[in-house]
């Protein structure tokens, strides 16, 4: 169910286990474009924001 929801929103889900047990799930969702921005083709197939105004660096 989680994978279907995340992929429906353009994201990815990965799962892995460590040697001591436990499971780590990583959910990656695309960031919403700020109002007035437009998406442009980036390297590879990933679109990127044409403007990063008001976006903290490193996020």
């Amino acid at each position: 169910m989680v994978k279907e929801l995340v992929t429906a929103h353009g994201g990815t889900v990965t799962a892995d286990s460590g040697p001591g047990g436990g499971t780590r799930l990583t959910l990656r969702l695309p960031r919403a474009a700020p109002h007035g921005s437009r998406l442009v083709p980036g390297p590879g197939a990933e679109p990127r924001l044409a403007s990063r105004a008001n976006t903290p660096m490193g996020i």
Side-chain angles (χ1 to χ4, degrees), residues 37-52:
S37 295
R38 60 188 173 90
L39 293 176
V40 295
E46 291 289 320
R48 63 176 178 78
L49 290 177
S51 169
R52 289 190 170 246

Side-chain angles (χ1 to χ4, degrees), residues 11-39:
T12 60
V13 177
T14 57
D16 59 55
S17 299
T23 301
R24 179 187 320 180
L25 294 175
T26 303
L27 310 177
R28 294 180 186 254
L29 295 168
R31 186 181 330 176
H35 183 69
S37 295
R38 60 188 173 90
L39 293 176

